[in-house]
Amino acid sequence: MAVATLDFHGRVTDAKRVRIGFIGCGSHSLRNIYASLQYLPVELVATCDLDGKKAEAFARQFGAPASYTDYRAMLEKEKPEAVLVVTGYDPKGRPLYPPIACDCLERGAHVWMEKPPADTTADVDRMRAAAQAAGRHAMVGFKKMFVPANVKARELAADPAFGQVGIATFQYPMGVPTVDEIARYRAGDPGGRGVVGFLDHMCHPVSAMLYLLGWPRTLTYYRSSTGAGTATFEFPGGSLATITFAHGAGWNGGMERTQLVGTNGRTIVVENNMRLEMRRDPRLGYGDTPSFYAGNAGEVTSVWEPEFSLGQLYNKGLFLQGYWGELDEFARSILEGRAPNRAGLDHAWQATRIFEAFAAGPGHPIDL
């Protein structure tokens, strides 16, 4: 029997929902993942955390009827259709998701896991095999693939009037580890937070690039003595993309910037995931006019940005940053009996392969 719930407008609905269990009760999941559940077609049946008191508190806070300290017991007793997993790293800095995801898939549950999914493509391959054998799907929290500004940017870039993307640039405030640090990490020494932080955060600009441009064929990167760096990617169609790892940059003026330059006088700019511009060239001739104000409204720059005055869903960080979008896609894919349309294990493999490639060192092309 369907249970009455609420939709976006606070209206009662009996629409079908996905029964989910939640593994992990930390601060990130509290702020961003659990907080998104109220807007999703899901029913939270249980929470799970190694700390039983936290699991109980989260269950009480978010309306789950049960809590567990062992996710296997949760899966056995509650039999959720899907699980959301937000954990972390083992003592060697390895993501905990691969063994948990494989276990959940083998026990019949679809899996959504936070990023980064793994530190090796071999681990992603194991998750893919488990998903295929179980007839289930797994998805990763690559939120940049669901940021509304990025979704709109992709739509604009797909318009034939935009032309081909000649070059794209992505800026994110993080550092690049040294080859020695990566080697020590591979040998089992997490080496402080350098490599783990790189693995954790590079998912953001890399997943945005994969969503907007597809899979590149080569990577060449450079690292400065400060830890800042650049990575240039070449794509099969001839496009280039550069990720600027702006280590040392301030955050309060906007952490991120994305720019796509087309071949038909148009440029798309996304500032800090919120402000989107489509810059059009009205084709002013050199020395032809005394006024800059040329071109009609359809020929010059268009701007989209939230107004932050009204109590709209689009003004909430859960929506602006892509958390709701990725979780909604996961739930809808289950309800509709299909694979997620992005941020699945293929994208997980690609992002992890790019991480692996940095071990080959700077200054030369690396085949991907």
Side-chain angles (χ1 to χ4, degrees):
M1 182 177 66
V3 177
T5 57
L6 301 175
D7 66 12
F8 276 178
H9 301 280
R11 296 179 299 219
V12 176
T13 176
D14 60 357
K16 182 172 172 52
R17 297 183 295 167
V18 180
R19 297 179 69 255
I20 64 166
F22 204 123
I23 302 172
C25 297
S27 61
H28 168 65
S29 60
L30 171 70
R31 295 190 310 273
N32 301 309
I33 312 304
Y34 280 97
S36 297
L37 299 184
Q38 62 184 309
Y39 303 112
L40 297 168
V42 299
E43 176 189 356
L44 181 63
V45 299
T47 60
C48 181
D49 194 89
L50 294 175
D51 184 332
K53 289 185 178 180
K54 289 183 71 174
E56 290 176 7
F58 272 68
R60 186 166 53 251
Q61 179 79 9
F62 295 99
S67 64
Y68 295 81
T69 56
D70 184 338
Y71 72 84
R72 299 174 186 85
M74 179 185 74
L75 293 170
E76 178 67 26
K77 186 170 183 180
E78 305 297 337
K79 293 182 169 52
E81 297 170 78
V83 292
L84 308 183
V85 189
V86 184
T87 52
Y89 298 87
D90 69 15
K92 293 184 178 181
R94 307 300 201 265
L96 293 169
Y97 298 110
I100 296 174
C102 287
D103 209 0
C104 292
L105 289 163
E106 290 165 0
R107 293 167 186 261
H110 299 280
V111 175
W112 176 93
M113 69 196 90
E114 188 52 282
K115 58 80 188 168
D119 69 303
T120 66
T121 52
D123 274 342
V124 180
D125 286 336
R126 281 190 279 273
M127 289 189 282
R128 283 205 285 205
Q132 184 174 7
R136 295 293 184 267
H137 296 296
M139 186 173 163
V140 180
F142 290 150
K143 64 180 183 178
K144 301 303 179 183
M145 292 184 167
F146 297 88
V147 167
N150 288 343
V151 174
K152 184 65 175 179
R154 177 170 153 141
E155 174 192 327
L156 294 171
D159 186 337
F162 185 80
Q164 179 185 349
V165 175
I167 191 165
T169 57
F170 302 84
Q171 181 174 315
Y172 198 88
M174 59 181 292
V176 179
T178 65
V179 173
D180 179 64
E181 288 171 330
I182 296 173
R184 287 192 285 116
Y185 172 80
R186 288 296 182 210
D189 175 8
R193 294 295 300 173
V195 179
V196 177
F198 185 66
L199 172 63
D200 194 70
H201 293 289
M202 67 162 283
C203 289
H204 293 314
V206 164
S207 62
M209 179 187 72
L210 293 173
Y211 174 60
L212 292 169
L213 296 174
W215 177 235
R217 64 185 182 189
T218 65
L219 154 68
T220 304
Y221 79 92
Y222 293 89
R223 181 186 186 275
S224 78
S225 60
T226 68
T230 61
T232 298
F233 299 84
E234 183 183 3
F235 292 80
S239 300
L240 296 176
T242 296
I243 298 178
T244 299
F245 298 106
H247 179 62
W251 291 9
N252 64 351
M255 289 177 58
E256 302 173 59
R257 190 173 196 269
T258 297
Q259 179 171 282
L260 308 175
V261 180
T263 53
N264 290 339
R266 299 189 178 195
T267 301
I268 297 166
V269 179
V270 179
E271 295 284 3
N272 209 34
N273 298 306
M274 293 186 297
R275 179 184 172 90
L276 171 64
E277 296 182 6
M278 165 68 93
R279 299 176 181 173
R280 298 178 180 88
D281 180 3
R283 301 297 183 184
L284 297 177
Y286 186 73
D288 288 348
T289 175
S291 174
F292 176 77
Y293 295 94
N296 60 42
E299 297 174 324
V300 293
T301 297
S302 299
V303 177
W304 295 262
E305 62 181 335
E307 32 65 32
F308 292 114
S309 296
L310 304 174
Q312 297 279 18
L313 293 177
Y314 59 68
N315 284 332
K316 299 181 184 296
L318 300 177
F319 292 82
L320 280 171
Q321 295 184 47
Y323 291 114
W324 171 83
E326 60 186 352
L327 294 165
D328 186 65
E329 170 58 20
F330 178 62
R332 300 288 175 190
S333 70
I334 296 170
L335 292 172
E336 296 168 11
R338 59 173 175 81
N341 63 27
R342 55 193 180 277
L345 292 178
D346 287 345
H347 278 140
W349 190 96
Q350 292 173 354
T352 306
R353 171 67 192 116
I354 289 173
F355 169 73
E356 286 180 326
F358 277 81
H364 61 93
I366 302 164
D367 288 334
L368 297 173

